[in-house]
Amino acid sequence: MEPGTIDNLSILYQSSDFIVVNKHWDIRIDSKMWYETLTLQSQLKYRFPELADPDTYYGFRFCHQLDFSTSGALCVALNKAAAGSAYKCFKDRLVTKAYLALVRGHVSQSRMMIRYAIGKNTTEGMTHMMCIDGTEGCENPKPCQSELIVLEHGSYSGDPVTKVLLQPLPGRTHQLRVHCSAIGHPIVGDFTYSHKKDNSPYRMMLHAYYLRIPTSKELIEVCAPDPFVTTMDSNWVPHHVTHRLDETIQELK
């Protein structure tokens, strides 16, 4: 995938109330830093200047968040009422989200539920990190679980990796990254949760693939194209299929 630019915003869905974008892997949603001019906000303003809402600080209302280094489906509300209807779906836990990831090593179980409470890491130098309950300095851990389904075993740049589908239930900051690291299979390219060792790939291999938001106004249901295919990244070589992606998504529905 090419580096992000102001004019290469990918739109997955658009209506009078919502836009769903395929967020680029190296772009922040917004930034208060004067030098960080390329953000998802600036891409949206460039593409849809007439849709920017002057009543908001940044011009657009984001219905949820994705990390700077995570790509994929992200929903934007175009007015206050639409934002409220989406917020209610998140609050009532009616939203379905599924992520694709490449993780280090070969995951032995074909399906697993990862259950670790997650809290904020208050250790000096680690304050922007989350951690599992029982870790020294772990503050206010809250229960959460992530379902992991193995799609394919393969290799990335010659090292063993597994392509997985991940579903956060319900969803904490960095939940999938922390849970994968906790079971000994950190996400490929996740420098933060690999004890600052995994820095060779060009990106972190986590992608918001499927998003379903049944708002009172309309049903939003999108898939953001899978970036973890050999035609997109020749470093990834699948060897063995365990579950097919399309069939696994049908199960979620």
Side-chain angles (χ1 to χ4, degrees):
M1 197 171 177
E2 294 298 313
T5 60
I6 192 71
D7 59 353
N8 73 346
L9 182 64
S10 171
I11 307 299
L12 302 171
Y13 174 91
Q14 187 176 355
S15 70
S16 57
D17 288 312
F18 297 98
I19 293 173
V20 181
V21 303
N22 184 8
K23 179 192 161 301
H24 197 276
W25 49 266
D26 69 346
I27 288 181
R28 295 186 197 283
I29 290 174
D30 54 50
S31 177
K32 292 184 172 72
M33 302 299 179
W34 62 268
Y35 53 83
E36 209 157 12
T37 55
L38 181 60
T39 64
L40 185 50
Q41 293 279 9
S42 65
Q43 285 183 316
L44 282 163
K45 279 186 178 178
Y46 180 85
R47 179 79 170 267
F48 303 108
E50 75 284 1
L51 298 180
D53 187 340
D55 291 338
T56 65
Y57 186 81
Y58 287 113
F60 291 89
R61 294 179 168 87
F62 291 92
C63 301
H64 54 117
Q65 297 285 314
L66 288 179
D67 290 348
F68 161 67
S69 44
T70 303
S71 59
L74 183 65
C75 185
V76 183
L78 297 177
N79 54 68
K80 197 171 180 179
S85 67
Y87 171 75
K88 189 173 189 311
C89 290
F90 280 93
K91 183 170 174 283
D92 296 342
R93 297 188 178 177
L94 301 175
V95 175
T96 305
K97 291 191 282 185
Y99 293 72
L100 289 171
L102 298 181
V103 300
R104 293 288 178 191
H106 284 164
V107 180
S108 55
Q109 290 176 252
S110 66
R111 287 180 104 111
M112 62 191 298
M113 192 65 79
I114 308 168
R115 295 182 175 90
Y116 289 107
I118 291 178
K120 190 171 178 59
N121 194 333
T122 59
T123 310
E124 190 175 350
M126 305 283 193
T127 48
H128 295 294
M129 291 178 65
M130 306 297 282
C131 52
I132 59 169
D133 191 16
T135 306
E136 186 180 349
C138 192
E139 185 181 86
N140 193 27
K142 293 182 180 175
C144 56
Q145 53 189 21
S146 303
E147 185 177 21
L148 180 152
I149 300 169
V150 170
L151 299 173
E152 297 171 300
H153 289 116
S155 60
Y156 192 86
S157 297
D159 297 321
V161 300
T162 307
K163 183 174 179 175
V164 297
L165 190 76
L166 297 163
Q167 191 176 10
L169 307 162
R172 298 272 285 147
T173 302
H174 296 181
Q175 178 175 319
L176 298 176
R177 297 167 65 184
V178 173
H179 274 174
C180 287
S181 181
I183 62 167
H185 296 284
I187 293 170
V188 173
D190 189 348
F191 181 71
T192 302
Y193 292 103
S194 64
H195 305 292
K196 300 189 176 178
K197 292 176 186 168
D198 198 343
N199 61 358
S200 54
Y202 69 98
R203 63 162 291 180
M204 183 178 72
M205 305 297 175
L206 180 62
H207 177 72
Y209 176 71
Y210 175 72
L211 178 66
R212 184 181 191 275
I213 310 175
T215 76
S216 56
K217 292 175 171 288
E218 63 203 86
L219 171 63
I220 299 164
E221 187 173 34
V222 296
C223 286
D226 177 2
F228 308 136
V229 290
T230 307
T231 51
M232 295 278 285
D233 186 348
S234 59
N235 292 308
W236 157 242
V237 181
H239 300 159
H240 172 72
V241 176
T242 302
H243 292 102
R244 291 181 60 83
L245 177 57
D246 53 352
E247 291 171 2
T248 308
I249 291 296
Q250 282 303 126
E251 276 183 49
L252 286 186
K253 294 180 182 182

